[in-house]
Amino acid sequence: MLVPPAPHRPRRRSIGSRWAAGDGGERVWLFDLDNTLHDCSVAIFKAIDQNMTEAVIEALGVDLGEAHRLRVMYWKRYGATVIGMSRHHGIDTRSFLERSHRFDPAPLVHCEAGLARKLRGLKGRKILLTNAPLAYARGVLGTLGILQQFESLWTIDHMTLQGRIRPKPTMALMKQVLARVGQPPSNVVLVEDTLRNLKSARALGMKTVHIFHPGTPFSGLHAGRSPYVDLRVNSIGQLLTSRHALRG
């Protein structure tokens, strides 16, 4: 079973304040974190990559070049380096994630101006859905001043199915998330910078928003809008003004 996510006490919302989905239900926003709610490419990706490479070196006793190769290979294959480290080397996932994110994200966080205000403009339930670990996600959201806007934080710490980590874009994970949010897929919107995650969400009937960020790996290979993307924007602010495209 999927481990329950970290809950937050949701703020009270009147019926009139909700942005209704196509069938009259409530919209549920599933937000990715890195390069979606904040810009990782300025500083944080470099810190994560360095720490994760060092974590691989410490865990396996390999040199820098081999550690870098394994980190990238496992990320491409599984969507998270930690999965490859666990499956192929028996590394404890929690210890590896703690070591690879052992830094203070606060001074490294960069985001668009007025993010908290813009995010409040998107009416409906907001849930974080990220392959990052919980402590890191909390630190980033707290720095951004938007932590309390999310009713739940679904992080890689909670993405365990049948004893194995199943992060995005695993179809089994997406089905479990849909089952727990209690809304039909057409009322759920995944907001992401990574296209392969959007593809699995669209296959289940969710609506999809691609936050295009040039710093996201392989983003340069997709100049136009992919067929499984309902809306393509460059920022949360642009999503606020373009959200009518997701109705119906």
Side-chain angles (χ1 to χ4, degrees):
M1 294 294 292
L2 184 68
V3 178
H8 278 281
R9 189 185 302 273
R11 296 181 178 182
R12 290 186 177 180
R13 297 184 298 271
S14 66
I15 295 296
S17 72
R18 295 174 177 175
W19 177 42
D23 65 353
E26 186 177 13
R27 181 70 76 199
V28 178
W29 299 92
L30 302 176
F31 279 94
D32 178 48
L33 180 61
D34 294 337
N35 273 357
T36 297
L37 291 172
H38 71 120
D39 188 349
C40 267
S41 300
V42 176
I44 285 186
F45 268 170
K46 182 178 180 180
I48 293 175
D49 286 351
Q50 179 177 335
N51 274 25
M52 195 165 291
T53 300
E54 291 174 356
V56 174
I57 291 173
E58 293 172 9
L60 303 181
V62 297
D63 61 24
L64 179 62
E66 177 64 5
H68 175 77
R69 185 188 72 82
L70 290 172
R71 175 178 61 80
V72 174
M73 179 180 70
Y74 292 149
W75 179 83
K76 289 181 179 179
R77 182 182 300 178
Y78 301 115
T81 299
V82 66
I83 297 178
M85 293 295 291
S86 174
R87 290 186 183 179
H88 298 284
H89 308 283
I91 300 302
D92 179 72
T93 57
R94 291 188 180 276
S95 296
F96 184 83
L97 288 170
E98 188 280 327
R99 173 62 182 88
S100 59
H101 289 77
R102 192 183 297 163
F103 63 94
D104 179 12
L108 307 178
V109 170
H110 294 263
C111 71
E112 63 188 276
L115 175 65
R117 171 181 53 81
K118 294 172 182 176
L119 199 62
R120 281 194 299 271
L122 293 173
K123 303 307 179 185
R125 297 162 57 194
K126 300 180 183 74
I127 297 172
L128 190 75
L129 186 65
T130 175
N131 286 355
L134 179 61
Y136 165 79
R138 282 185 181 276
V140 172
L141 293 179
T143 301
L144 293 171
I146 59 176
L147 178 62
Q148 295 306 316
Q149 294 198 42
F150 291 87
E151 68 174 54
S152 296
L153 308 183
W154 300 80
T155 68
I156 198 167
D157 308 68
H158 312 113
M159 297 176 181
T160 301
L161 294 165
Q162 298 178 339
R164 302 181 75 177
I165 300 178
R166 303 282 189 178
K168 297 180 296 185
T170 306
M171 196 67 72
L173 168 74
M174 304 306 289
K175 289 179 180 179
Q176 288 275 10
V177 170
L178 270 180
R180 286 184 177 273
V181 299
Q183 288 287 327
S186 59
N187 288 2
V188 181
V189 184
L190 178 61
V191 185
E192 267 272 359
D193 67 307
T194 304
L195 285 169
R196 63 184 178 185
N197 297 339
L198 293 171
K199 189 174 183 179
S200 63
R202 194 67 181 85
L204 292 174
M206 298 185 205
K207 295 189 183 300
T208 56
V209 175
H210 181 209
I211 299 280
F212 176 77
H213 194 293
T216 297
F218 314 118
S219 63
L221 302 177
H222 301 272
R225 197 178 85 182
S226 299
Y228 46 84
V229 171
D230 292 306
L231 182 64
R232 184 177 185 266
V233 297
N234 297 317
S235 66
I236 298 298
Q238 192 176 352
L239 171 60
L240 184 63
T241 59
S242 305
R243 63 186 182 183
H244 62 276
L246 298 174
R247 293 185 185 272

